[in-house]
Amino acid sequence: MRRTALLASATLLAALLPWASAHAADAPAPVPVDRFEGEVPFAGQPAEGIFTWGGDADDPPTLSLAGRADAPEGAKVLTGTYDISGYGGFTHDYAANEPPHDWSAHRGIRLWWEGHGTGRKITFEIKDGGAHGEASELWTTSFTDDFTGWKQIELPFTDFVYRTDYQPVGGIDHVLGLTRMWGYAVTLPTGAPGTFAMDGVELYGTADQSLRASVTTDAAVYPVREGGTASVKVTVATTGERPLTDPVTVTYATRGGTATAGQDYTPVSGTLTFPPGTASGTSRTIEVPTRKDRSAEPAETVPLTLAVTGAKAPAETPQVVIDAHGLPYLDAQRPVRERVADLLSRMSLTEKAGQMTQAERGAMSTPGDIAGYALGSLLSGGGSTPTPNTPEGWARMIDGFQLRAQATRFQIPLVYGVDAVHGHNNLAGATIMPHNIGIGATRDPALAERTGAVTAAEVRATGVPWDFAPCLCVTRDERWGRSYESFGEDPALVQSMETMIQGLQGRADGRDLSRGDKVLATAKHFVGDGGTAYGSSTTGTYTIDQGVTTVTRQQLQDIHLAPYETAVRRGIGTVMPSYSSLDIVGDGRGAVRMHARGDMINGVLKDRMGFDGFVISDWNAIDQLPGDYAARVRAAVNAGVDTMMVPYGYKDFTAALVGEVTAGRISERRIDDAVSRILTEKFRLGLFEHPWADTSGAAAIGSPAHRAVARRAAAESQVLLKNDGGLLPLKPSQKVYVAGSNADDLGNQTGGWTLTWQGSSGPVTTGTTILAGMRKSGAQVTYSQDASAPTAGYDVGVVVVGETPYAEGVGDVGNGHDLRLSAADQAAVDRVCAAMKCAVLIVSGRPQLIGDRLGRIDALVASWLPGTEGDGVADVLYGRRPFTGRLPVTWPRSEAQLPINVGDAAYDPQFPYGWGLTTLTEVPRGGAATLKALGVAARAAERAGADAAGRALVGKARLIVQQRTGGRLTAAVAAPFAEAEHLLLTGRYGQAVEKLTAAYRAV
């Protein structure tokens, strides 16, 4: 999430010194905040001034101070352009070391805005209280660009509400005090390019007495069983928790809603009085009795109106909800199919459209939109977290959203989703597993399942029942910024690791989904996302991600579709289409975006494969389809997309979907199919019976037991590429010189999709770096990141180098990234390896080009992105566990070789697919004769279906070949060696040994 610290300029501070005296005046004159004549400079945080921010490199607006003859104030205005896909805007910050300002004498803040009549919302935010601009509370309101020309926008402080989606320090007192203010921020609209101009920001008017006190209720929705009594707690609070100086009265009455007074509930009315001297935080309770009858019926609402005098009223009217009861879909003893059919038959088109809509939790205009638009789903994007970012914070947030869904007619629960792609990676302190590329390197399906089980348990314990994982992409070009999300380049390897689905969901028939330690899983991105051609992307500065995959039908089936057939057999609950386009050679259609390919989604996935879950779109993917908005909705829904992830555009989507159905361009049958699929998974998850977070497993989040699984995965993911002289494993008695940028950086070690979408360097979460793991081993370790410390007197050097975090197309090679080590890392390798025997560990999401340095390196390890448990890396370095990992992708000699994959006609890599030396393992003797015997035994095992024996026999043959090469890897060796790995994974053990024998003879 963006940083929104609101600091301030010294120049402006001088202009605002009269505020304290103005506060005492009855009618203070307007006080300028920004005139945009140049008195406040453009700057970057934390310097005082105006600065921009955004979700990625393209989102921050471009600002300038422009002379305008029509400027409302002075000669210049602040103007800018923007084209925001995620979020973006600008802030005027007071420097954190300056005193805060007192705005409490004024009624509100106002500004001049040049309207364009777009109807789009502009969000305005102020920062209140706390120690400084980085540790205060954010309060927000908005106005709509529904006019043209200049207009003065007045924003009374009573209109500002506490931000529930993000708070820098988790909030302070939830009271807008106005006595310690740090500035303001403007969030610009998303989804389309635009321009803006503003001028004359100032404080105006006399403070409302209600600014010093506020009335709140303990909830917005009060579900109650028919015949029960709802208790609404009304609380008064004051700035600084001072007692009331004036009386506050709350007049209440039940009126309106869908329930019938006197029949469904007993009407109540009256007045609560909080006299002067009442302590801040004092509460009174209003009770609303409901009545019981014998008829089955949907939920009914009873609004409780509150008229407040002397304080700020609650932001919304609380509602008592009499629970739905007696209807067949509520009967947990009935088969899911019957429950779905009954509920579907009762729903309106608008309610069905809501079920097909997924919004981002931080993008909702108000939480009331959950019921207002009958939303079926919410998500947290990367870095979209509650405050505080704790298991309890997540559960409280999601329960709050679920409470809103209880105010709908049929009380259909939300299904909340997150991208937990290597552990519950949005949650601080969660267990972070190696990324999928490392899991593929383990070649351990049972371990893959265990990592999925740990992830599911930690995710579900925070109230989240749905995980947008695993990625079943088959990565075919390591220039792709999502390479590390793949288990590898071979579809057979990807299929073997799909045991992770069972770890996430449990048994394939879905019977385990309602458990408190399982989640609904998502196979993504259907189909061909890993095969996009370099240079084919048209998304911003991306070079390969979201590009075009061009394949024959046979290639499509063999490489990209095969993992989805396995996923469907394993009972995968949801599937997410790819942003990329698919161009099938010879079909005459050219490149078509996957979200519009009904032949693939409806035809192949649902019809041919028999997928009976639901299809969820990717983030805003509908916006990449051609045509106007209605045409995009029509294309995606008719292609088979059941739920649309429209983080910011949920209102537009529901309206367009209803319009398309009403016009007959989308059939009601198609809508019913989509909603039936969605409801089926909600019933299977047990959400109708238990919509609230089950936090009974929260104590295990980040526990030693969970971290032990991650530690083992980190150890097994390490691939030993070279080990001259048996340098590894290290001995505890050796004096070790450690260097390199990734030796002691937890953020680099965990990679992208860790706490934020892109991830970041540094101590981003709880875990153990590789250096810390080595030190815990009792080793004699000296650390110098840049290798500038003296190198004399050491037995061995360990240089840990590699990449910094990235995600998706932001990490594409050519988009600010390449496959070469940084200059600093190269220098560290050169310095250490020239001074002593050295092992180089590469922490990265894809192979890095070693070039001519390989000859100077004694031991080389592909460490991938091992997650939070650096102890696992230390385990193999010091021989507590053997090196057993094998390359999940081909390691190229140069970028010019890319793409390079097992089975290519020209195949001459630095290290072939499947390569991986071992330690603590005896290599069989006998050479060619032993290989011949192993081949005979492997064929026999294959015939007998003895898979474990067959794999073991091929493993012995591999050890013989790897020892024979002595590092002399030629194309004649590499090609059959890699092909043997593919044959092994497809159960052809005899042929695998034959290929390894060919590699042996080619040495």
Side-chain angles (χ1 to χ4, degrees):
M1 300 296 289
R2 66 177 174 86
R3 299 204 309 165
T4 50
L6 306 176
L7 309 164
S9 77
T11 304
L12 184 60
L13 177 64
L16 298 182
L17 286 176
W19 287 5
S21 59
H23 178 45
D26 290 334
V31 173
V33 176
D34 270 334
R35 298 182 68 246
F36 302 117
E37 299 299 308
E39 74 278 11
V40 179
F42 293 116
Q45 204 175 34
E48 54 192 69
I50 298 170
F51 66 90
T52 62
W53 36 261
D56 58 37
D58 298 329
D59 283 347
T62 301
L63 304 182
S64 66
L65 299 176
R68 290 270 294 261
D70 63 345
E73 303 275 350
K76 295 179 181 179
V77 302
L78 178 68
T79 186
T81 61
Y82 59 89
D83 186 1
I84 303 167
S85 59
Y87 58 84
F90 59 92
T91 297
H92 175 181
D93 277 8
Y94 301 159
N97 60 353
E98 297 289 348
H101 298 169
D102 186 347
W103 293 4
S104 63
H106 297 273
R107 182 169 186 266
I109 191 167
R110 64 189 180 194
L111 62 134
W112 288 93
W113 188 269
E114 186 179 32
H116 298 286
T118 63
R120 303 170 81 192
K121 185 179 76 172
I122 295 91
T123 299
F124 195 93
E125 183 177 270
I126 57 178
K127 201 160 193 180
D128 171 76
H132 51 73
E134 294 290 343
S136 48
E137 284 187 334
L138 305 182
W139 292 75
T140 184
T141 189
S142 64
F143 60 92
T144 303
D145 181 4
D146 56 3
F147 55 91
T148 56
W150 288 105
K151 179 181 178 180
Q152 192 171 44
I153 307 295
E154 293 194 344
L155 304 172
F157 291 132
T158 51
D159 286 355
F160 283 82
V161 297
Y162 180 82
R163 272 190 66 173
T164 57
D165 60 319
Y166 170 71
Q167 290 291 340
V169 291
I172 302 171
D173 58 8
H174 293 219
V175 175
L176 181 57
L178 296 171
T179 58
R180 295 178 58 82
M181 303 302 297
W182 299 97
Y184 68 88
V186 175
T187 302
L188 295 165
T190 62
T195 62
F196 79 92
M198 65 181 288
D199 200 11
V201 183
E202 65 181 15
L203 306 174
Y204 75 95
T206 303
D208 292 342
Q209 183 168 336
S210 62
L211 287 174
R212 297 182 177 86
S214 61
V215 169
T216 60
T217 58
D218 56 329
V221 178
Y222 296 83
V224 60
R225 290 187 176 183
E226 186 188 44
T229 297
S231 297
V232 180
K233 187 164 72 172
V234 179
T235 302
V236 65
T238 63
T239 301
E241 298 186 346
R242 294 184 291 251
L244 291 180
T245 56
D246 298 298
V248 172
T249 61
V250 180
T251 301
Y252 61 89
T254 50
R255 61 168 61 96
T258 59
T260 302
Q263 177 180 319
D264 297 313
Y265 68 97
T266 301
V268 297
S269 62
T271 300
L272 303 176
T273 300
F274 298 87
T278 298
S280 177
T282 298
S283 299
R284 307 280 172 79
T285 299
I286 302 169
E287 293 193 339
V288 181
T290 68
R291 297 183 176 184
K292 193 173 183 64
D293 59 34
R294 296 183 179 180
S295 60
E297 53 193 349
E300 297 172 304
T301 57
V302 185
L304 180 66
T305 61
L306 303 175
V308 178
T309 302
K312 183 178 179 180
E316 57 186 307
T317 299
Q319 290 190 85
V320 174
V321 179
I322 305 170
D323 288 340
H325 54 277
L327 301 173
Y329 78 88
L330 295 170
D331 183 357
Q333 302 306 311
R334 291 176 180 264
V336 168
R337 185 183 298 273
E338 286 185 18
R339 299 178 75 183
V340 169
D342 176 70
L343 178 52
L344 188 70
S345 71
R346 301 174 185 278
M347 296 171 67
S348 69
L349 175 59
T350 299
E351 288 166 329
K352 292 174 183 177
Q355 284 302 300
M356 296 174 65
T357 306
Q358 184 180 67
E360 214 285 337
R361 39 82 72 182
M364 287 186 295
S365 302
T366 169
D369 282 353
I370 292 171
Y373 290 86
L375 296 179
S377 180
L378 294 179
L379 84 149
S380 279
S384 178
T385 62
T387 303
N389 186 3
T390 62
E392 298 77 15
W394 277 88
R396 186 167 52 249
M397 174 188 73
I398 292 169
D399 280 352
F401 293 142
Q402 287 288 18
L403 185 62
R404 299 293 185 151
Q406 295 296 301
T408 59
R409 277 204 307 161
F410 301 113
Q411 298 182 304
I412 303 173
L414 294 165
V415 58
Y416 200 97
V418 297
D419 286 278
V421 299
H422 63 143
H424 196 354
N425 42 254
N426 265 349
L427 172 64
T431 307
I432 303 300
M433 302 291 171
H435 270 293
N436 281 357
I437 195 74
I439 300 298
T442 70
R443 297 301 200 278
D444 190 339
L447 181 58
E449 182 172 349
R450 290 180 65 193
T451 64
V454 168
T455 297
E458 297 200 358
V459 169
R460 194 71 182 256
T462 61
V464 178
W466 185 11
D467 184 3
F468 305 134
C471 186
L472 303 185
C473 45
V474 182
T475 179
R476 305 294 283 178
D477 190 331
E478 278 58 61
R479 290 171 290 190
W480 188 34
R482 300 193 86 136
S483 291
Y484 62 76
E485 292 190 52
S486 172
F487 293 117
E489 71 184 38
D490 182 354
L493 174 57
V494 175
Q495 289 172 287
S496 73
M497 293 294 111
E498 290 185 51
T499 49
M500 186 178 285
I501 294 172
Q502 263 57 67
L504 293 166
Q505 289 195 168
R507 285 169 287 188
D509 60 6
R511 74 179 73 177
D512 297 327
L513 280 172
S514 61
R515 283 172 36 179
D517 62 349
K518 294 300 174 189
V519 294
L520 191 68
T522 306
K524 63 184 188 183
H525 305 89
F526 185 83
V527 60
D529 53 341
T532 51
Y534 188 80
S536 66
S537 181
T538 57
T539 301
T541 56
Y542 295 4
T543 58
I544 186 169
D545 189 35
Q546 304 184 21
V548 180
T549 298
T550 303
V551 286
T552 65
R553 287 198 178 274
Q554 193 63 52
Q555 289 170 328
L556 177 64
Q557 175 60 46
D558 293 346
I559 298 173
H560 301 292
L561 281 172
Y564 289 92
E565 291 182 322
T566 300
V568 170
R569 288 195 300 271
R570 288 186 171 277
I572 194 76
T574 63
V575 171
M576 181 183 291
S578 176
Y579 281 120
S580 58
S581 299
L582 180 63
D583 185 355
I584 302 176
V585 176
D587 75 350
R589 299 184 63 185
V592 179
R593 290 279 185 187
M594 274 306 308
H595 280 76
R597 289 213 69 137
D599 60 328
M600 290 288 112
I601 301 172
N602 284 328
V604 173
L605 178 65
K606 292 182 175 179
D607 294 342
R608 195 191 85 191
M609 293 185 186
F611 172 63
D612 60 3
F614 69 89
V615 175
I616 168 73
S617 86
D618 210 333
W619 177 283
N620 269 340
I622 193 172
D623 292 340
Q624 296 189 3
L625 301 182
D628 60 21
Y629 193 74
R632 298 174 205 161
V633 171
R634 184 167 65 249
V637 173
N638 283 337
V641 180
D642 302 307
T643 296
M644 209 67 66
M645 189 187 291
V646 278
Y648 309 98
Y650 59 96
K651 297 177 184 178
D652 293 337
F653 173 72
T654 54
L657 181 57
V658 169
E660 288 299 290
V661 176
T662 302
R665 290 184 287 267
I666 298 175
S667 70
E668 291 191 35
R669 181 179 179 182
R670 170 70 194 102
I671 298 300
D672 286 353
D673 171 62
V675 177
S676 294
R677 290 168 176 270
I678 296 162
L679 294 177
T680 295
E681 298 305 326
K682 289 187 176 185
F683 279 118
R684 292 168 75 195
L685 283 163
L687 294 177
F688 281 83
E689 288 70 50
H690 306 288
W692 315 113
D694 177 359
T695 59
S696 59
I701 294 173
S703 65
H706 284 187
R707 291 185 183 275
V709 175
R711 178 174 181 167
R712 178 174 175 179
E716 290 193 23
S717 72
Q718 303 299 294
V719 180
L720 183 58
L721 300 173
K722 180 180 179 180
N723 194 26
D724 282 3
L727 181 65
L728 297 178
L730 302 172
K731 299 175 180 62
S733 60
Q734 290 176 306
K735 292 183 64 178
V736 183
Y737 185 102
V738 180
S741 61
N742 286 352
D744 196 32
D745 194 305
L746 196 61
N748 290 355
Q749 185 176 304
T750 53
W753 289 109
T754 306
L755 272 294
T756 59
W757 175 40
Q758 291 295 314
S760 60
S761 301
V764 296
T765 188
T766 303
T768 303
T769 65
I770 294 171
L771 175 66
M774 294 177 67
R775 283 176 168 158
K776 286 164 67 175
S777 300
Q780 303 177 59
V781 172
T782 295
Y783 174 56
S784 174
Q785 178 175 317
D786 61 358
S788 60
T791 56
Y794 292 93
D795 299 309
V796 62
V798 175
V799 191
V800 189
V801 294
E803 295 184 301
T804 54
Y806 55 80
E808 299 188 34
V810 176
D812 284 352
V813 167
N815 189 23
H817 296 264
D818 57 44
L819 298 180
R820 295 184 298 273
L821 298 177
S822 69
D825 278 349
Q826 292 180 37
V829 170
D830 291 346
R831 179 171 172 79
V832 174
C833 293
M836 65 193 81
K837 290 185 178 297
C838 71
V840 174
L841 278 60
I842 299 178
V843 175
S844 64
R846 53 197 169 193
Q848 303 291 282
L849 302 175
I850 300 302
D852 57 6
R853 284 183 170 79
L854 184 60
R856 288 171 268 161
I857 296 170
D858 298 288
L860 179 64
V861 179
S863 286
W864 308 114
L865 298 169
T868 50
E869 307 313 300
D871 286 324
V873 181
D875 285 342
V876 293
L877 287 178
Y878 280 93
R880 286 187 294 271
R881 295 188 64 90
F883 276 95
T884 57
R886 306 203 297 276
L887 281 181
V889 293
T890 300
W891 196 285
R893 294 183 186 276
S894 69
E895 193 171 325
Q897 288 185 311
L898 296 174
I900 182 171
N901 296 287
V902 56
D904 287 353
Y907 190 79
D908 185 20
Q910 189 114 61
F911 299 101
Y913 168 70
W915 186 264
L917 304 176
T918 60
T919 54
L920 313 181
T921 305
E922 185 177 349
V923 178
R925 299 181 180 181
T930 302
L931 284 172
K932 184 176 180 180
L934 289 170
V936 172
R939 285 190 290 274
E942 184 179 336
R943 289 192 298 270
D947 292 326
R951 288 191 294 268
L953 291 164
V954 176
K956 290 180 179 180
R958 185 191 310 107
L959 293 178
I960 293 171
V961 174
Q962 288 184 149
Q963 184 182 66
R964 167 94 166 166
T965 63
R968 300 183 300 277
L969 280 166
T970 63
V973 173
F977 187 95
E979 290 163 11
E981 184 71 8
H982 173 73
L983 291 165
L984 165 66
L985 288 163
T986 55
R988 292 173 284 179
Y989 310 122
Q991 293 178 60
V993 175
E994 288 177 13
K995 287 289 185 180
L996 288 168
T997 302
Y1000 181 88
R1001 290 170 178 161
V1003 176

